[in-house]
Amino acid sequence: MASDIESSLFCHEEGEHTGPSMKLLLMADRRESLSVMEENGRLTGIFICPDIYAGYLSRKIVQEIQPVDRSRRGA
């Protein structure tokens, strides 16, 4: 189990091959998702409809949104 947890972390050791790197993840209408990944200089896209995970992830993102202070220009 510990190896499963370690492999799921975003921080990998330098030079370690972790597979494709995520370039874009787009969710539309909480039902569809488009993923674009790159591996060895080659782009790959995956479109999923309906995507139950997209709905779940959209709800979690909305729940976690925090207001930020507006920066003042020239201050």
Side-chain angles (χ1 to χ4, degrees), residues 9-20:
L9 298 176
F10 288 107
C11 301
H12 295 279
E13 292 184 19
E14 188 175 327
E16 179 182 359
H17 179 69
T18 59

Side-chain angles (χ1 to χ4, degrees), residues 67-75:
V68 293
D69 293 332
R70 183 171 34 177
S71 64
R72 296 182 186 180
R73 293 185 178 180

